[in-house]
Every structure is written in structure tokens, then in C-alpha cells.
Amino acid sequence: MSEKPVEYSGPERVFSGVQPSGSLHLGNYLGALKKFVDLQDAHDCVYCIVDLHAVTVWQDPKELAKQTRHIAAAFLAAGVDPDKAIIYPQAQVRAHSELAWYFNCVARIGWLNRMTQFKDKAGKNSEKMSVGLYDYPVLQAADILAFKATHVPVGEDQKQHLELSRDIAAKFNNDFDAPGFFPLPEPLIKGPGARVMSLKDGSSKMSKSDPSDLSRINLTDEADKIAKKIRKAKTDPEPIPAEMDGLEGRPEVANLVGIYAALSGQSDQDVLNTYAGEGFGVFKPALADLCVEKIAPITESMNRYLADPAEIDRILAKGAEAAAAIADPIVSDVRDIMGFWKA
Ligand code: TYM
């Protein structure tokens, strides 16, 4: 007799994380930060600066804390409000590492072997990578589930990691006869900006690790740099099409149209309706102006926050306390469920 699994019936919670390695780009903004802001009014939101993930590749100890403040400044400048959402650095909340260990004993090696992001990052050098880089998706599952988060706003590149989190949650609930203890977290991916591509190659995503700075728009880029990068973005000699199927086989053009749509809050088709038949001599300057209009205020605000690191530290310390107050009791319940000795 197979019983239907009992569904999670606890409160909804939003959780997401961003690594403090390298500066943030337009893909991070549209795929994650913008969604963080959109969700904070109506939901209980926890946004983590995932420094434990960052150290899966070597990070300069003199830079790590600075990088963490930099991401905090980007969250705040993008509009995340610390009175509405919790913002904190992952390493300050021990529940992440502890739950990751328990999940290491739940997740299967075969599941991790299928993770494409590890294969992409490690390339031919997988033997030389840290164990942490391989195990990274298990820590990500622990991040989410230490808060019993039900919804996770991320870009499309995180889809497979989210599926793994669901598998780990389901296997834990099943293995320890704790039906409905963990929710099966839902990724919030859909919408414009879920997959922003490189400005130089429409087949690879915009990424901090791309060696060419011209491939991405950083949240720290000045207006003239943004305009230059858009001017130099790869396109083709054809005009902007009138219909979506005219974007097929033109990934770079589709990407620029998608960026315009995401920044202006329109659909791709709306953008085509406005620019159909125009060449890039018209479209690129319009896109550059829009990018500057949306990014420049964030850059300025980030600089204001970074000029006051004590204020950032105060926000992060308060956030860490609030985060631990949620996660610690959940991980304590996990210990009980697994049957560890306690006094
Ligand atoms: P990270 O730090 O690489 O990226 C942060 C967020 O930005 C999104 N993103 C993009 N979205 C659209 N287009 C792009 N080109 C693009 N590049 C990045 C990512 O999808 C992500 O949402 N593993 C995660 C961090 C993490 C996490 C978590 C996320 C750790 N624990 C728990 C959610 C829940 C990462 O490396 O993101």
C-alpha cells in the first residue's frame, strides 16, 4: 500500500542567495535582485550573501569581507529594504553548514554527478577542484531548507540546483518518516531577465567569470562604459524584426531585445512593435539610454552605502541574528528527527 506523501503545510517563505565573488552584473540584477525587491512587500523574505559558496574557489582573505559588504550594498541600492527582508552573510549562521552535513548523508553521489554547473566550472580539471565546489549544490539545498523556504527567486542557471533541493527535501522527509517536514521549494524563474546572455556571444550566459569585460554590464559601470559596451555588442546587419519568430537564429539580437523588455517592464513583442524595421544605429543608443537610466541610480546608491561600511555592518549583524532565530530551531528539529543524542 503506498501512502500519499503528506504535503508541507507551514508558512510560505522566500529565500535566495548571491555569491560575494566579483562584481554583480545585469544578469544578476534582472535574474535575482529585481525579483527580490518585487517580492519583499507581500512575502516573508530572506536574502543571503553566500560567502560559504564563494570559498569553494580560493578567495583572498583580505577581500572577502569587503566583497560581502559590496553585495550588501548592491542589495540595498537595488531596493531591498532591511526593514522588510532579512539580509545577512551565510557564514554568520551556523545552521547552513550543519544542515549541509546532514544533507550530505541524504543526497546521493549519482545526483551530484549529474550537476552541469560543476562540469562547466571544473571543465577538464575536475580532479583538482575543491570537494566544496562539487558539494556546492548540497549546501545550496541546506540554505533554502534551513529556512523551510517555499519559493526561491533565481535565474535560469539555478534550475537544476533547485531540482536537487526538492529531491533532497523529499528524500529526507521519506527516509526519516517525517512527512511534510520540509517543503519542496519552488523556483521562481519565469519572467523577463531569467537568462541574460553575454553581449559578445548569444549562446553563453552573462557571467562574472567571462574573461571579457565587454561581455557584461556591471552594476558598477559608469554611464559612458555602459554605452560603449552596448555599442560594441555583437549584432547582425538585419533590422529589428516585427515578430518574435524573426528573432530565431539571432541569439544576440534576441538578448538585446530581452534586456530592453526586462528593463522597461514590457514584453519582447512590445519592444519589437516599437523598433520593427529599425537598424541597430537606432536601437542600440535607445537601449544604452535605458540601461543608464536604470543602472546609474543603483551605482550611485551603492557608492553611498559603501561610503558608510559601519551602517552595512549594522544591517548585516541584525540580519544574521534574525536569520539564526529562524534557522536554528529548524536545524534543531532535524537533529531530533535524525535521533541524535541530546542532554
Ligand atoms: P550567483 O551568485 O552566481 O548568481 C546570483 C543570482 O543571479 C542569477 N544570475 C543570472 N540571472 C539571469 N541571467 C544571468 N546571466 C545570470 N547570472 C546569474 C543567478 O541565477 C542567481 O539567482 N548558487 C547560487 C547562489 C546560491 C543560492 C542559494 C541561490 C547559494 N545558495 C540558495 C538560491 C537559493 C549562485 O551561485 O548564484
Coordinates of all heavy atoms in Angstrom, one line a residue, residues 15-21 24-33 35-36 46 48-54 71 75 90 96 117 121 136-137 139-145 149 151-159 161-162 165 188-189 192-198 204-208 255, ligand 1:
F15 N 13.4 32.6 -0.1 CA 14.9 32.6 0.2 C 15.7 32.7 -1.1 O 15.3 32.0 -2.1 CB 15.3 31.3 1.0 CG 16.8 31.3 1.3 CD1 17.2 31.7 2.6 CD2 17.7 30.9 0.4 CE1 18.5 31.8 2.9 CE2 19.1 30.9 0.7 CZ 19.5 31.4 2.0
S16 N 16.7 33.4 -1.1 CA 17.7 33.4 -2.2 C 19.0 33.8 -1.8 O 19.2 34.4 -0.7 CB 17.2 34.2 -3.4 OG 17.9 33.8 -4.6
G17 N 20.0 33.5 -2.6 CA 21.4 33.8 -2.3 C 22.2 34.3 -3.5 O 21.9 34.0 -4.6
V18 N 23.2 35.2 -3.2 CA 24.1 35.7 -4.2 C 25.5 35.6 -3.7 O 25.8 35.9 -2.5 CB 23.8 37.2 -4.5 CG1 24.8 37.7 -5.5 CG2 22.4 37.3 -5.1
Q19 N 26.4 35.1 -4.6 CA 27.8 34.9 -4.1 C 28.6 36.2 -4.1 O 28.5 37.0 -5.0 CB 28.6 34.0 -5.1 CG 28.1 32.6 -5.1 CD 29.2 31.8 -5.8 OE1 30.3 31.7 -5.4 NE2 28.8 31.1 -6.9
P20 N 29.4 36.4 -3.0 CA 30.3 37.6 -3.0 C 31.6 37.4 -3.7 O 32.6 37.4 -3.1 CB 30.5 37.8 -1.5 CG 30.4 36.4 -0.9 CD 29.5 35.6 -1.8
S21 N 31.5 37.1 -5.0 CA 32.8 36.9 -5.7 C 32.6 37.7 -7.0 O 31.8 37.4 -7.8 CB 33.0 35.4 -6.0 OG 31.8 34.9 -6.6
L24 N 28.6 42.5 -9.3 CA 27.4 42.0 -9.9 C 27.2 42.6 -11.3 O 27.6 43.7 -11.6 CB 26.2 42.3 -9.0 CG 26.2 41.6 -7.6 CD1 25.0 42.0 -6.9 CD2 26.4 40.1 -7.8
H25 N 26.4 41.9 -12.1 CA 26.2 42.3 -13.5 C 24.6 42.4 -13.7 O 23.8 42.0 -12.9 CB 26.9 41.5 -14.5 CG 26.6 40.0 -14.4 ND1 25.4 39.4 -14.6 CD2 27.4 39.0 -13.9 CE1 25.4 38.2 -14.4 NE2 26.7 37.8 -14.0
L26 N 24.3 42.8 -14.9 CA 22.9 43.0 -15.3 C 22.1 41.7 -15.2 O 20.9 41.7 -14.8 CB 22.9 43.5 -16.8 CG 21.6 44.0 -17.3 CD1 21.0 45.2 -16.6 CD2 21.7 44.3 -18.8
G27 N 22.8 40.5 -15.5 CA 22.1 39.3 -15.3 C 21.7 39.0 -13.9 O 20.6 38.6 -13.6
N28 N 22.6 39.3 -12.9 CA 22.3 39.1 -11.5 C 21.1 40.1 -11.1 O 20.3 39.7 -10.3 CB 23.5 39.5 -10.6 CG 24.7 38.6 -10.8 OD1 25.8 39.1 -11.1 ND2 24.5 37.3 -10.8
Y29 N 21.2 41.3 -11.7 CA 20.2 42.3 -11.3 C 18.8 41.8 -11.8 O 17.8 41.7 -11.1 CB 20.5 43.7 -11.9 CG 19.4 44.7 -11.7 CD1 19.1 45.1 -10.4 CD2 18.7 45.2 -12.8 CE1 18.0 46.0 -10.2 CE2 17.6 46.1 -12.5 CZ 17.3 46.4 -11.2 OH 16.3 47.3 -11.0
L30 N 18.7 41.4 -13.1 CA 17.4 41.1 -13.7 C 16.9 39.7 -13.3 O 15.8 39.5 -13.0 CB 17.5 41.2 -15.2 CG 17.7 42.6 -15.8 CD1 17.9 42.5 -17.3 CD2 16.5 43.5 -15.5
G31 N 17.9 38.8 -13.1 CA 17.5 37.4 -12.8 C 17.2 37.3 -11.3 O 16.5 36.4 -10.9
A32 N 17.8 38.1 -10.4 CA 17.7 37.9 -9.0 C 17.2 39.2 -8.3 O 16.1 39.3 -7.7 CB 19.0 37.4 -8.4
L33 N 18.1 40.2 -8.2 CA 17.9 41.3 -7.3 C 16.6 42.0 -7.6 O 15.9 42.4 -6.6 CB 19.0 42.4 -7.5 CG 20.2 42.3 -6.5 CD1 20.8 40.9 -6.6 CD2 21.2 43.3 -6.8
K35 N 13.9 40.8 -8.7 CA 12.8 39.9 -8.2 C 12.8 40.0 -6.6 O 11.7 40.0 -6.0 CB 13.0 38.5 -8.6 CG 12.8 38.2 -10.0 CD 13.0 36.7 -10.3 CE 13.2 36.4 -11.7 NZ 14.0 35.2 -11.9
F36 N 14.0 40.1 -6.0 CA 14.0 40.2 -4.5 C 13.1 41.4 -4.1 O 12.4 41.3 -3.1 CB 15.4 40.5 -4.0 CG 16.4 39.3 -4.2 CD1 16.1 38.2 -4.9 CD2 17.7 39.5 -3.8 CE1 17.0 37.2 -5.1 CE2 18.7 38.5 -4.0 CZ 18.3 37.3 -4.6
V46 N 14.1 36.2 2.9 CA 15.4 36.1 3.5 C 16.4 36.1 2.3 O 16.4 35.2 1.4 CB 15.5 34.8 4.3 CG1 16.9 34.7 4.9 CG2 14.4 34.6 5.3
C48 N 20.4 36.1 1.3 CA 21.7 35.7 1.9 C 22.9 36.0 1.0 O 22.8 35.8 -0.2 CB 21.6 34.2 2.2 SG 23.0 33.5 3.0
I49 N 24.0 36.5 1.5 CA 25.2 36.7 0.8 C 26.0 35.4 1.0 O 26.5 35.2 2.2 CB 25.9 38.0 1.2 CG1 24.9 39.2 1.0 CG2 27.2 38.2 0.4 CD1 25.3 40.4 1.8
V50 N 26.1 34.6 0.0 CA 26.6 33.2 0.3 C 28.1 33.1 0.2 O 28.7 32.6 -0.7 CB 25.9 32.2 -0.6 CG1 24.4 32.1 -0.3 CG2 26.0 32.5 -2.1
D51 N 28.7 33.6 1.3 CA 30.2 33.6 1.4 C 30.8 32.1 1.5 O 31.9 31.9 1.0 CB 30.7 34.5 2.5 CG 29.9 34.4 3.8 OD1 29.1 33.4 3.9 OD2 30.1 35.2 4.7
L52 N 30.0 31.2 2.1 CA 30.4 29.8 2.2 C 30.5 29.2 0.8 O 31.4 28.4 0.5 CB 29.5 29.0 3.0 CG 29.5 29.4 4.5 CD1 28.4 28.5 5.2 CD2 30.8 29.2 5.2
H53 N 29.6 29.7 -0.1 CA 29.7 29.2 -1.5 C 30.9 29.8 -2.2 O 31.6 29.1 -3.0 CB 28.4 29.5 -2.3 CG 27.3 28.6 -2.0 ND1 26.5 28.8 -0.9 CD2 26.9 27.5 -2.6 CE1 25.6 27.8 -0.9 NE2 25.8 27.0 -1.9
A54 N 31.2 31.1 -1.9 CA 32.3 31.8 -2.6 C 33.6 31.1 -2.4 O 34.4 30.9 -3.3 CB 32.3 33.2 -2.2
I71 N 28.2 43.3 -1.9 CA 26.9 42.6 -2.3 C 25.8 43.2 -1.5 O 24.7 43.5 -2.0 CB 27.0 41.1 -2.2 CG1 28.1 40.5 -3.1 CG2 25.6 40.5 -2.6 CD1 28.1 40.7 -4.5
F75 N 22.4 44.9 -2.9 CA 21.0 44.6 -2.4 C 20.3 45.8 -2.1 O 19.2 46.1 -2.5 CB 21.0 43.7 -1.2 CG 21.3 42.2 -1.5 CD1 21.8 41.7 -2.7 CD2 21.2 41.3 -0.4 CE1 22.1 40.4 -2.9 CE2 21.4 39.9 -0.6 CZ 21.9 39.5 -1.9
Q90 N 26.1 34.4 5.0 CA 25.8 33.0 5.3 C 26.7 32.5 6.4 O 26.3 31.7 7.3 CB 26.1 32.2 4.0 CG 25.8 30.8 3.9 CD 26.2 30.2 2.6 OE1 27.1 30.7 1.9 NE2 25.6 29.1 2.2
H96 N 23.6 26.7 8.3 CA 23.9 26.3 6.9 C 24.8 25.1 6.8 O 24.6 24.2 6.2 CB 24.5 27.5 6.1 CG 23.6 28.6 5.9 ND1 22.7 28.7 4.8 CD2 23.3 29.8 6.6 CE1 22.0 29.8 4.9 NE2 22.4 30.5 6.0
Q117 N 26.5 22.5 -13.7 CA 27.3 23.7 -13.4 C 28.7 23.3 -12.9 O 29.6 23.9 -13.2 CB 26.6 24.5 -12.3 CG 27.0 26.0 -12.5 CD 26.1 27.0 -11.8 OE1 26.1 27.1 -10.6 NE2 25.3 27.7 -12.6
K121 N 32.1 24.5 -14.6 CA 33.1 25.3 -13.8 C 34.4 24.5 -13.8 O 35.5 25.1 -13.9 CB 32.6 25.5 -12.4 CG 31.6 26.7 -12.3 CD 31.4 27.1 -10.9 CE 30.4 28.2 -10.8 NZ 30.0 28.6 -9.5
Y136 N 28.8 21.8 -3.6 CA 28.1 23.1 -3.5 C 26.6 23.0 -3.6 O 25.9 23.6 -2.8 CB 28.7 23.9 -4.7 CG 28.2 25.2 -5.1 CD1 29.1 26.3 -5.0 CD2 26.9 25.5 -5.5 CE1 28.6 27.6 -5.3 CE2 26.5 26.7 -5.9 CZ 27.3 27.8 -5.8 OH 26.9 29.0 -6.1
P137 N 26.0 22.2 -4.5 CA 24.5 22.1 -4.6 C 23.9 21.6 -3.3 O 22.7 21.9 -3.0 CB 24.2 21.2 -5.7 CG 25.5 21.2 -6.5 CD 26.6 21.3 -5.5
L139 N 25.0 22.2 -0.2 CA 25.0 23.4 0.7 C 23.8 24.3 0.2 O 23.1 24.9 1.1 CB 26.3 24.2 0.6 CG 26.4 25.4 1.4 CD1 26.1 25.2 2.9 CD2 27.8 26.1 1.2
Q140 N 23.6 24.5 -1.1 CA 22.5 25.3 -1.5 C 21.2 24.8 -1.1 O 20.3 25.6 -0.7 CB 22.6 25.4 -3.1 CG 21.5 26.3 -3.6 CD 21.8 26.8 -5.0 OE1 22.9 26.7 -5.5 NE2 20.8 27.4 -5.7
A141 N 21.0 23.5 -1.1 CA 19.7 22.9 -0.6 C 19.6 23.2 0.9 O 18.5 23.5 1.4 CB 19.7 21.4 -0.8
A142 N 20.7 23.1 1.6 CA 20.7 23.4 3.1 C 20.3 24.9 3.3 O 19.5 25.2 4.2 CB 22.0 23.1 3.7
D143 N 20.8 25.8 2.5 CA 20.5 27.2 2.6 C 19.0 27.4 2.6 O 18.4 28.1 3.5 CB 21.1 28.0 1.4 CG 22.6 27.9 1.3 OD1 23.2 27.6 2.3 OD2 23.1 28.2 0.2
I144 N 18.4 26.8 1.6 CA 17.0 27.0 1.4 C 16.1 26.3 2.5 O 15.2 26.9 3.0 CB 16.6 26.4 0.0 CG1 17.3 27.1 -1.1 CG2 15.1 26.4 -0.2 CD1 17.3 26.4 -2.5
L145 N 16.5 25.1 2.8 CA 15.7 24.3 3.7 C 15.9 24.6 5.1 O 15.0 24.3 6.0 CB 15.8 22.8 3.3 CG 15.3 22.5 1.9 CD1 15.8 21.1 1.4 CD2 13.8 22.6 1.9
A149 N 12.2 27.3 3.2 CA 11.7 28.3 2.2 C 10.8 27.5 1.2 O 11.2 26.4 0.8 CB 12.9 28.9 1.5
H151 N 9.7 29.3 -1.7 CA 9.9 29.9 -3.0 C 11.3 30.5 -3.1 O 11.7 31.1 -2.2 CB 8.8 31.0 -3.2 CG 7.4 30.5 -3.3 ND1 6.7 30.3 -2.2 CD2 6.7 30.1 -4.3 CE1 5.5 29.7 -2.5 NE2 5.5 29.6 -3.9
V152 N 11.9 30.3 -4.3 CA 13.3 30.7 -4.5 C 13.5 31.5 -5.8 O 13.5 30.9 -6.9 CB 14.2 29.4 -4.5 CG1 15.7 29.9 -4.5 CG2 13.9 28.6 -3.2
P153 N 13.5 32.8 -5.7 CA 13.8 33.6 -6.9 C 15.2 33.5 -7.4 O 16.1 33.8 -6.7 CB 13.4 35.0 -6.5 CG 13.6 35.0 -5.0 CD 13.4 33.7 -4.5
V154 N 15.4 33.0 -8.6 CA 16.7 32.8 -9.2 C 16.7 32.9 -10.7 O 15.6 32.9 -11.3 CB 17.3 31.4 -8.9 CG1 17.9 31.2 -7.5 CG2 16.3 30.3 -9.1
G155 N 17.8 33.0 -11.3 CA 18.0 33.0 -12.7 C 17.9 31.5 -13.2 O 18.0 30.6 -12.4
E156 N 17.7 31.4 -14.5 CA 17.5 30.0 -15.0 C 18.7 29.1 -14.8 O 18.5 27.9 -14.7 CB 17.2 30.1 -16.5 CG 16.6 28.9 -17.1 CD 16.0 29.1 -18.5 OE1 15.1 29.9 -18.6 OE2 16.6 28.6 -19.4
D157 N 19.9 29.6 -14.6 CA 21.1 28.7 -14.4 C 21.0 27.9 -13.1 O 21.7 27.0 -13.0 CB 22.4 29.6 -14.5 CG 22.4 30.7 -13.4 OD1 21.4 31.1 -12.9 OD2 23.5 31.1 -13.1
Q158 N 20.1 28.3 -12.2 CA 20.0 27.6 -10.9 C 18.9 26.6 -10.9 O 18.7 25.9 -9.9 CB 19.7 28.6 -9.8 CG 20.8 29.7 -9.6 CD 22.1 29.0 -9.3 OE1 22.2 28.1 -8.5 NE2 23.2 29.4 -10.0
K159 N 18.3 26.3 -12.1 CA 17.1 25.4 -12.1 C 17.5 24.0 -11.6 O 16.8 23.4 -10.8 CB 16.6 25.4 -13.6 CG 15.3 24.8 -13.7 CD 14.7 25.0 -15.1 CE 13.5 24.3 -15.3 NZ 13.4 23.5 -16.5
H161 N 19.9 23.1 -9.7 CA 20.2 23.1 -8.3 C 18.9 23.0 -7.5 O 18.8 22.4 -6.4 CB 21.0 24.3 -7.9 CG 22.5 24.2 -8.4 ND1 23.3 25.3 -8.4 CD2 23.2 23.2 -8.9 CE1 24.4 24.9 -8.9 NE2 24.4 23.7 -9.2
L162 N 17.9 23.7 -8.0 CA 16.6 23.8 -7.3 C 15.9 22.4 -7.3 O 15.3 22.0 -6.3 CB 15.7 24.8 -7.9 CG 15.7 26.2 -7.1 CD1 15.0 26.0 -5.8 CD2 17.1 26.8 -6.9
S165 N 17.5 20.4 -4.7 CA 16.9 20.7 -3.4 C 15.6 20.0 -3.1 O 15.4 19.6 -2.0 CB 16.7 22.2 -3.3 OG 17.9 22.9 -3.4
L188 N 11.4 30.4 -8.6 CA 10.7 31.5 -9.3 C 11.6 32.0 -10.3 O 12.5 32.8 -10.0 CB 10.3 32.6 -8.3 CG 9.4 32.2 -7.1 CD1 9.3 33.4 -6.1 CD2 8.1 31.7 -7.6
I189 N 11.5 31.4 -11.5 CA 12.5 31.7 -12.6 C 11.8 32.6 -13.7 O 12.4 33.5 -14.2 CB 13.0 30.4 -13.2 CG1 13.8 29.7 -12.1 CG2 13.9 30.7 -14.4 CD1 14.4 28.3 -12.5
P192 N 10.9 38.1 -17.7 CA 12.0 38.6 -18.5 C 13.3 38.7 -17.6 O 13.2 39.0 -16.4 CB 11.5 40.0 -18.9 CG 10.4 40.4 -17.9 CD 9.8 39.1 -17.4
G193 N 14.4 38.5 -18.2 CA 15.7 38.6 -17.5 C 16.1 37.3 -16.8 O 17.1 37.3 -16.1
A194 N 15.4 36.2 -17.0 CA 15.7 35.0 -16.3 C 17.1 34.4 -16.8 O 17.7 33.7 -16.1 CB 14.6 33.9 -16.4
R195 N 17.4 34.8 -18.1 CA 18.6 34.3 -18.7 C 19.2 35.4 -19.6 O 18.9 35.4 -20.8 CB 18.4 33.0 -19.4 CG 19.6 32.3 -19.9 CD 19.3 30.9 -20.3 NE 20.5 30.2 -20.9 CZ 21.5 29.8 -20.2 NH1 21.5 29.8 -18.9 NH2 22.6 29.2 -20.8
V196 N 20.0 36.2 -19.0 CA 20.6 37.3 -19.7 C 21.9 36.7 -20.3 O 22.7 36.1 -19.6 CB 20.9 38.5 -18.8 CG1 21.6 39.6 -19.6 CG2 19.6 39.1 -18.2
M197 N 22.1 36.9 -21.6 CA 23.3 36.3 -22.3 C 24.4 37.3 -22.4 O 24.2 38.5 -22.3 CB 22.9 35.8 -23.7 CG 21.6 34.9 -23.7 SD 21.7 33.5 -22.5 CE 22.8 32.4 -23.4
S198 N 25.6 36.8 -22.7 CA 26.8 37.6 -23.0 C 26.5 38.6 -24.1 O 25.9 38.2 -25.1 CB 27.9 36.7 -23.3 OG 28.9 37.4 -24.1
S204 N 26.2 32.0 -24.7 CA 26.7 31.8 -23.4 C 26.1 32.9 -22.4 O 25.9 34.0 -22.9 CB 28.2 31.7 -23.3 OG 28.7 32.9 -23.7
K205 N 25.8 32.5 -21.2 CA 25.2 33.5 -20.3 C 26.1 34.6 -19.9 O 27.3 34.4 -19.8 CB 24.6 32.7 -19.1 CG 25.6 32.2 -18.1 CD 24.9 31.7 -16.8 CE 26.1 31.3 -15.9 NZ 25.7 30.9 -14.6
M206 N 25.5 35.7 -19.6 CA 26.3 36.8 -19.0 C 26.9 36.3 -17.6 O 26.1 35.8 -16.8 CB 25.5 38.1 -18.8 CG 26.3 39.3 -18.4 SD 25.3 40.8 -18.3 CE 25.1 41.2 -20.0
S207 N 28.2 36.5 -17.4 CA 28.8 35.8 -16.3 C 30.0 36.7 -15.7 O 30.7 37.3 -16.5 CB 29.2 34.4 -16.7 OG 30.2 34.0 -15.8
K208 N 30.1 36.6 -14.4 CA 31.2 37.3 -13.7 C 32.6 36.7 -14.2 O 33.6 37.3 -14.2 CB 31.3 37.2 -12.2 CG 29.9 37.3 -11.5 CD 30.1 37.1 -10.0 CE 28.7 36.7 -9.5 NZ 28.5 36.8 -8.1
N255 N 18.7 38.6 -27.3 CA 19.2 39.0 -26.0 C 19.0 40.5 -25.7 O 18.5 40.9 -24.7 CB 20.7 38.6 -25.8 CG 21.2 38.8 -24.4 OD1 20.5 38.5 -23.5 ND2 22.4 39.3 -24.3
Ligands
TYM1 P1 25.2 33.6 -8.4 O1 25.9 34.3 -7.3 O2 26.1 33.0 -9.5 O3 24.1 34.5 -9.0 C1 23.2 35.2 -8.3 C2 21.8 35.2 -8.9 O4 21.9 35.8 -10.3 C3 21.4 34.9 -11.2 N1 22.1 35.0 -12.5 C4 21.5 35.3 -13.7 N2 20.2 35.6 -14.0 C5 20.0 35.8 -15.3 N3 20.9 35.9 -16.3 C6 22.2 35.7 -16.0 N4 23.2 35.7 -16.9 C7 22.6 35.4 -14.6 N5 23.7 35.1 -14.0 C8 23.4 34.9 -12.7 C9 21.5 33.5 -10.6 O5 20.6 32.6 -11.2 C10 21.3 33.8 -9.2 O6 19.9 33.8 -8.9 N6 24.2 29.1 -6.4 C11 23.8 30.5 -6.4 C12 23.8 31.1 -5.1 C13 23.0 30.4 -4.0 C14 21.6 30.3 -3.9 C15 21.4 29.6 -2.7 C16 20.5 30.8 -4.7 C17 23.5 29.8 -3.0 N7 22.6 29.3 -2.2 C18 20.1 29.3 -2.3 C19 19.2 30.5 -4.3 C20 19.0 29.8 -3.1 C21 24.8 31.2 -7.3 O7 25.9 30.9 -7.5 O8 24.3 32.4 -7.7

